[in-house]
Amino acid sequence: MYNLTLNSSQVCDTSASYCKPGVLLPVWNPQEDVFIGDTIARACVYVLGLAYMFLGVSIIADRFMAAIEVITSQEREIKVTDSEGNKQTVMVRYWNETVSNLTLMALGSSAPEILLSIIEIFGNKFEAGDLGPNTIVGSAAFNLFVIIGYCISVVPNGEIRRIKHLRVFFVTATWSIFAYIWLYIIIAVISPNYVDVWEATLTFLFFPITVLTAYIVDKKIFIGSFLQRRIKSTKVVRDEEAQNAEPLKVVENMEAVDAANPDIKNFEEHRKEYINILKEMRQKHPDIGVDELQKLAEVEILKRGPKSRAYYRIQATRKLIGGTSNVRKKLEVKDRLANSKSKSNLESLIDNEANTVTSVFFEPAHYTCFESVGSIELYVTRQGGDLNNTILVDYKTENGSAEANSDYEYTEGTLIFYPNETRKHFVVKIIDDDVYEEDEHFYVRLSNARYQENELVDTDTLSVTNPDLATVMILDDDHGGVFMFTEAKMEIIENVGVLRVKVIRTSGARGKVKVPYKTMDGSAVGGRDFEKKNDVLTFYNNEVEKYIEIDIVDDEDYQKNENFFIKLSDPIPEMEEASHNEAGRPRLGDQNKIEIQIKESKVIKGIVDKLLIKSNAAVLVGTSSWREQFIEAFQVNADDDADDDDDDANGNEEDNDGEKSDENQADKEESEPKKPSLSDYLIHFVSLFWKVLFAFVPPTEIWGGWACFVVSIIIIGILTAVIGDLASHFGCTVGLKDSVTAISFVALGTSLPDTFASKVAAIQDRYADSSVGNVTGSNAVNVFLGIGLAWMCASIYHYFNGTRFVVIPGSLAFSVTMFCSFAFIAISIMMFRRSKFIGGELGGPASWRYFSSFVFICLWLAYVILSSLDSYCVFEFLKF
């Protein structure tokens, strides 16, 4: 209870305040003798206006949070030395995670509430109002009770989420409750009805003190001074990230565990994780190149990597308004824009030239056939220039090791490309004989490209280009073949999975032949480092190549250099033709033994190093140009939950079905994109005005995100001023007091985006910090920054004008009292849920999950109802 001596001017008033002009919006006149229909119409206009303003604030907050994510994701290089003395370059962030969460992230999440409190003070000429402070308290109640209660129930069945940084959570939770207790003390105990300069200033200073204490606990700066003596491990509050080994060691060993270079530790963890992801991508896509492998790995790493509160807030907003939140789509857009942006004038000139010059060339330029094939077709392509012309091009054969009219028929002629024809072919006959001979080749050359009309040759618009010479290889099929490896030594990386070694058959391909082979140990041992084999390759008639497949064991060595061998034995023919003499029998070639060298992957190592630099989630939320922002503004996308599902699967790596889920997800993403639904189009057109307007905000790439940060917060301030005016006018129109409007409608509107963000975080993240931990920090920051800064400015203004800043406790004190009481109950329930009985703050058994959510929602409803009743003097008899 709070003790106040009420005078005549402080008697509790049950009526709503008279409508007054707002900071930006004038009052809707007339105010007297208004019919009930007009009142309802005005109330509807105000409600729709508030809803549209809340939508606008959510969208600009998307930009604001993107700027914050880019700012706090800035990284720098540092040199560290690992346990073997090797120097490593490690990327670390300038911003500590805890500091960024309690400063810029909290500001971005609670900007409307904070700015509403500050704007109300300035709009009221430095006099206290009910809307700003009550919105902050009401928003805190909604965050703690509704958001956490909702997150408890949305976690997938059978899963739990625990707070990882428990020490930091205890600090922020303590400060969040203290903040509202302190608010009650300064308005109702120390100097009732007044807030002095020192009180307001101290309130504001609690903000940096909160950040400092959380940082100290997070970094364990003073942990040594508290652990000078041995203590039982059961007495120490340990979180998910604490070390479990040797809990009773003395301080020096404790420091060796906790203070072991965290940069090296993080580097090693990230390196192993990235190598595992690269292995998965290589197994799923064995034939892709290194560049594509890196792109796929980058997508996967960004999906699986830890996400900030800003990321989840932005993702939730973009899903709400029909924007894209798919990682692959976002990276494809950025790559496409980057490629178009980096295209030089010289490239443009080359493209223009390619469009005016007609080129004629072989496609393909290399052909292989057996001598018994009869004939072979060679293809010529026309590309570029004016395709409406008829052109001629000559061709003729030339001897190589194969001779005309002995191994092939000499051929020459002219190809005619009629209008719009781009591909033609001609035939060369191959001569077959029963005489054994080596494989041979010959050439075919293009020349004399010209227009049909008047046989005109114009090299400026028509030319034969490379490849203008085609090579035809004739394989003799009268011999059983010569079998050998293509090289004497082959180097592979240990995480290749399956080694494929090519065995070729040259100088003939007749009949079925079996070629035995076996592995031989070197420094690598069969059964330990690779699959030991003693098997047979079978070549069927006219087959010219086969692969030996051997499983390679991945020891995950960062540095490795081992070898083993594969040796071929004499081939065994299965030919019945009597015509084959001894010279035609299959035999081994000179290269019948190959050394396999197993090394760590320098390519993979390089990719990992690149990924350590590039795998920054800021790329998913930031924008690089105004063009990109306007493209996103006009695009309508389906509510794509691909990322949600994938992240959810990846976030629970312990599940047996994890790999299967990832594969299914990869198939889904490679399929056709999901088409937008009617609701997607509807919300897109409703929010189109805001999307286009806020596309003018500077991209996050400018000035490292600070330009976007400043412009966005100015816009949020303007929209918040309009929201404050609309909320006040709505309240006085329907007969609601500002304090009731604040804790219900305004608090609900400003907190809904955070609700969706916390839901996404609860489903996707493996820990509860992003969905729960940040709630307590934001609640403390709201009071210290939102109320502290506003009241400090007002109290200083009154001090220099010889007056005191008046703050009548009224319903605010009762609201604060109810919130503190219920907050203690809510946090106690969360700590109970963390016990082994349930296992985590979020999720758990269905019965406990829904019961906990029900209790949290009831706490919020009780808070709103009791605070509203107090605003109308229902509990006036309790105040003495």
Side-chain angles (χ1 to χ4, degrees):
M1 309 301 165
Y2 50 87
N3 186 8
L4 287 178
T5 302
L6 300 176
N7 57 36
S8 59
S9 63
Q10 297 169 357
V11 174
C12 184
D13 185 7
T14 60
S15 61
S17 60
Y18 189 75
C19 290
K20 301 178 296 185
V23 177
L24 296 178
L25 299 182
V27 70
W28 192 335
N29 289 316
Q31 297 190 58
E32 298 178 353
D33 300 327
V34 178
F35 293 107
I36 185 65
D38 291 338
T39 301
I40 294 174
R42 291 184 183 186
C44 291
V45 171
Y46 286 133
V47 169
L48 291 176
L50 278 171
Y52 202 62
M53 288 296 111
F54 284 136
L55 178 62
V57 167
S58 297
I59 296 174
I60 188 59
D62 182 338
R63 302 284 185 197
F64 188 49
M65 295 295 279
I68 292 173
E69 177 71 12
V70 170
I71 291 169
T72 57
S73 297
Q74 298 297 320
E75 296 178 327
R76 59 188 174 92
E77 292 184 0
I78 64 170
K79 300 286 186 180
V80 297
T81 304
D82 61 20
S83 58
E84 298 180 358
N86 300 317
K87 288 189 175 181
Q88 303 281 359
T89 300
V90 181
M91 302 298 297
V92 296
R93 292 192 175 188
Y94 286 101
W95 285 76
N96 173 268
E97 181 182 1
T98 298
V99 173
S100 65
N101 284 340
L102 289 176
T103 53
L104 293 183
M105 292 292 181
L107 175 61
S109 178
S110 304
E113 299 97 306
I114 294 172
L115 291 176
L116 180 60
S117 177
I118 296 172
I119 291 171
E120 184 182 40
I121 286 291
F122 283 86
N124 288 345
K125 298 179 180 180
F126 297 98
E127 298 296 339
D130 289 333
L131 198 61
N134 280 285
T135 296
I136 286 178
V137 181
S139 178
F142 188 92
N143 292 343
L144 186 59
F145 304 139
V146 176
I147 292 181
I148 294 180
Y150 182 49
C151 289
I152 290 173
S153 62
V154 298
V155 174
N157 291 331
E159 298 180 13
I160 60 171
R161 302 285 187 267
R162 291 168 64 89
I163 294 175
K164 179 181 179 182
H165 302 283
L166 189 60
R167 294 187 182 97
V168 175
F169 173 77
F170 279 147
V171 171
T172 55
T174 302
W175 277 110
S176 67
I177 295 179
F178 170 78
Y180 294 91
I181 294 175
W182 172 254
L183 183 60
Y184 173 82
I185 290 173
I186 63 174
I187 64 175
V189 176
I190 297 178
S191 55
N193 304 330
Y194 298 101
V195 173
D196 294 324
V197 174
W198 74 268
E199 294 173 317
T201 304
L202 184 58
T203 302
F204 176 72
L205 291 178
F206 280 138
F207 168 61
I209 294 174
T210 301
V211 177
L212 180 62
T213 53
Y215 176 77
I216 289 173
V217 171
D218 179 47
K219 302 297 287 185
K220 306 172 187 176
I221 293 176
F222 299 127
I223 190 170
S225 62
F226 292 106
L227 296 176
Q228 291 295 335
R229 60 184 183 277
R230 296 172 181 240
I231 56 175
K232 292 183 179 180
S233 59
T234 55
K235 299 290 186 179
V236 180
V237 178
R238 304 187 66 83
D239 58 21
E240 293 294 320
E241 60 184 347
Q243 300 289 339
N244 293 323
E246 298 182 307
L248 301 180
K249 292 291 183 181
V250 293
V251 173
E252 290 77 14
N253 290 337
M254 178 73 79
E255 289 177 347
V257 174
D258 287 344
N261 196 324
D263 295 323
I264 296 179
K265 181 181 177 182
N266 291 335
F267 173 79
E268 290 298 322
E269 289 176 352
H270 291 163
R271 180 185 67 82
K272 290 179 181 179
E273 181 181 1
Y274 294 174
I275 287 176
N276 289 335
I277 290 174
L278 286 171
K279 285 170 57 182
E280 291 179 20
M281 295 300 101
R282 176 59 75 187
Q283 290 173 357
K284 291 179 183 178
H285 310 279
D287 300 324
I288 62 175
V290 173
D291 292 338
E292 183 63 21
L293 177 64
Q294 180 176 331
K295 289 181 181 179
L296 290 175
E298 185 178 352
V299 171
E300 199 66 22
I301 287 169
L302 288 172
K303 288 180 183 177
R304 299 190 189 185
K307 308 296 193 307
S308 67
R309 176 74 176 180
Y311 171 83
Y312 291 119
R313 170 73 180 258
I314 294 167
Q315 188 182 39
T317 303
R318 289 181 180 176
K319 286 190 175 189
L320 178 65
I321 63 175
T324 179
S325 60
N326 183 278
V327 176
R328 183 184 295 272
K329 291 178 183 176
K330 188 70 176 177
L331 290 179
E332 286 176 353
V333 170
K334 286 191 173 292
D335 288 343
R336 186 166 62 250
L337 291 173
N339 291 336
S340 63
K341 182 178 179 181
S342 62
K343 191 171 184 179
S344 64
N345 292 332
L346 178 60
E347 288 175 316
S348 300
L349 291 174
I350 293 175
D351 288 345
N352 292 334
E353 182 179 352
N355 291 329
T356 58
V357 177
T358 300
S359 301
V360 183
F361 52 89
F362 279 110
E363 187 180 17
H366 297 276
Y367 300 84
T368 301
C369 65
F370 292 106
E371 67 174 4
S372 60
V373 72
S375 61
I376 185 171
E377 295 180 344
L378 285 79
Y379 289 86
V380 180
T381 296
R382 171 170 74 164
Q383 181 176 293
D386 186 359
L387 298 180
N388 293 319
N389 295 317
T390 299
I391 65 171
L392 312 176
V393 62
D394 297 334
Y395 63 88
K396 67 176 181 178
T397 58
E398 297 178 0
N399 285 345
S401 57
E403 296 184 359
N405 301 323
S406 174
D407 299 301
Y408 69 94
E409 287 189 5
Y410 174 80
T411 305
E412 65 176 335
T414 301
L415 285 176
I416 302 176
F417 285 86
Y418 292 102
N420 295 318
E421 280 189 331
T422 59
R423 192 167 175 85
K424 302 284 284 188
H425 75 274
F426 59 90
V427 176
V428 177
K429 291 185 178 180
I430 306 299
I431 298 174
D432 188 16
D433 57 43
D434 292 329
V435 179
Y436 163 68
E437 52 192 348
E438 296 290 339
D439 296 342
E440 299 172 320
H441 68 276
F442 67 93
Y443 306 103
V444 185
R445 187 179 299 277
L446 296 177
S447 61
N448 194 25
R450 59 199 182 276
Y451 292 103
Q452 184 182 42
E453 185 177 357
N454 300 325
E455 297 284 322
L456 176 64
V457 176
D458 185 358
T459 56
D460 292 333
T461 60
L462 175 63
S463 64
V464 176
T465 58
N466 187 48
D468 59 341
L469 186 69
T471 303
V472 181
M473 177 69 69
I474 304 175
L475 302 180
D476 183 77
D477 55 4
D478 300 315
H479 188 277
V482 178
F483 298 86
M484 58 184 171
F485 295 110
T486 58
E487 52 191 337
K489 187 176 182 179
M490 184 177 182
E491 187 175 292
I492 63 169
I493 57 176
E494 65 168 350
N495 61 356
V496 70
V498 177
L499 165 67
R500 302 180 80 236
V501 182
K502 181 189 287 189
V503 179
I504 60 173
R505 182 186 197 181
T506 62
S507 302
R510 173 174 291 186
K512 180 180 178 181
V513 180
K514 293 183 177 180
V515 182
Y517 69 90
K518 65 178 180 179
T519 59
M520 302 170 60
D521 292 349
S523 56
V525 179
R528 184 192 70 185
D529 300 305
F530 63 91
E531 178 187 9
K532 195 169 185 176
K533 273 197 172 183
N534 190 346
D535 207 345
V536 173
L537 280 180
T538 301
F539 286 79
Y540 292 92
N541 189 45
N542 289 338
E543 275 195 322
V544 296
E545 65 179 38
K546 282 281 191 177
Y547 286 90
I548 297 173
E549 294 188 349
I550 298 175
D551 292 334
I552 303 298
V553 179
D554 184 7
D555 299 324
E556 294 188 354
D557 291 339
Y558 199 54
Q559 295 178 339
K560 188 169 188 174
N561 188 4
E562 297 176 338
N563 70 331
F564 69 97
F565 304 90
I566 305 175
K567 183 172 177 56
L568 301 178
S569 298
D570 291 332
I572 304 171
E574 294 186 6
M575 299 182 295
E576 299 178 357
E577 292 86 347
S579 60
H580 279 89
N581 53 28
E582 190 64 28
R585 291 181 63 83
R587 60 183 176 84
L588 289 179
D590 295 335
Q591 195 59 59
N592 55 58
K593 184 178 180 180
I594 185 172
E595 177 186 359
I596 307 298
Q597 190 169 21
I598 308 174
K599 300 194 72 176
E600 83 280 356
S601 172
K602 293 187 181 297
V603 175
I604 299 298
K605 206 171 182 181
I607 293 177
V608 170
D609 292 339
K610 290 179 182 178
L611 292 175
L612 285 169
I613 298 174
K614 295 179 65 178
S615 59
N616 192 324
V619 71
L620 302 180
V621 299
T623 52
S624 58
S625 65
W626 272 287
R627 177 191 176 194
E628 180 184 350
Q629 292 182 171
F630 278 100
I631 289 175
E632 289 184 355
F634 284 101
Q635 280 183 340
V636 54
N637 297 278
D639 184 8
D640 193 348
D641 292 330
D643 287 343
D644 297 354
D645 300 337
D646 190 74
D647 287 338
D648 182 37
N650 291 330
N652 299 278
E653 296 172 354
E654 300 84 7
D655 294 347
N656 295 329
D657 297 334
E659 260 181 52
K660 188 175 180 182
S661 300
D662 290 343
E663 292 173 2
N664 293 339
Q665 182 58 36
D667 295 338
K668 282 173 64 179
E669 288 199 347
E670 289 174 0
S671 62
E672 293 185 2
K674 184 179 176 181
K675 293 183 179 180
S677 63
L678 179 62
S679 61
D680 292 323
Y681 280 106
L682 180 61
I683 191 63
H684 170 70
F685 286 116
V686 170
S687 59
L688 183 61
F689 169 78
W690 293 123
K691 287 184 177 181
V692 175
L693 178 63
F694 299 146
F696 288 96
V697 173
T700 56
E701 195 171 276
I702 298 177
W703 297 350
W706 286 106
C708 180
F709 178 90
V710 173
V711 174
S712 296
I713 200 170
I714 292 173
I715 296 175
I716 291 175
I718 295 172
L719 294 183
T720 300
V722 176
I723 288 174
D725 292 348
L726 287 173
S728 181
H729 291 170
F730 168 75
C732 66
T733 299
V734 300
L736 286 178
K737 302 182 73 172
D738 280 351
S739 58
V740 178
T741 306
I743 64 173
S744 54
F745 294 100
V746 182
L748 178 66
T750 56
S751 298
L752 272 180
D754 284 324
T755 306
F756 297 126
S758 293
K759 173 201 170 186
V760 174
I763 295 174
Q764 295 184 7
D765 208 337
R766 70 182 68 180
Y767 297 110
D769 296 70
S770 293
S771 52
V772 172
N774 288 321
V775 168
T776 55
S778 296
N779 286 352
V781 170
N782 285 356
V783 173
F784 298 146
L785 190 57
I787 296 180
L789 181 59
W791 285 3
M792 183 176 70
C793 294
S795 61
I796 292 174
Y797 172 84
H798 282 278
Y799 175 80
F800 283 104
N801 283 275
T803 57
R804 296 181 71 184
F805 179 45
V806 177
V807 179
I808 305 299
S811 61
L812 178 60
F814 184 87
S815 179
V816 168
T817 303
M818 290 297 98
F819 171 76
C820 292
S821 302
F822 293 161
F824 180 79
I825 297 174
I827 294 176
S828 299
I829 293 174
M830 292 174 62
M831 291 302 98
F832 169 74
R833 289 180 51 82
R834 187 179 175 85
S835 65
K836 294 182 180 180
F837 190 72
I838 298 178
E841 289 84 357
L842 306 181
S847 57
W848 281 104
R849 179 192 311 177
Y850 295 120
F851 175 74
S852 301
S853 296
F854 176 76
V855 172
F856 272 77
I857 298 300
C858 288
L859 288 175
W860 179 71
L861 291 174
Y863 162 78
V864 172
I865 293 172
L866 293 176
S867 297
S868 300
L869 292 175
D870 180 73
S871 296
Y872 290 98
C873 310
V874 173
F875 303 122
E876 190 64 24
F877 65 93
L878 296 177
K879 302 175 184 179
F880 51 89

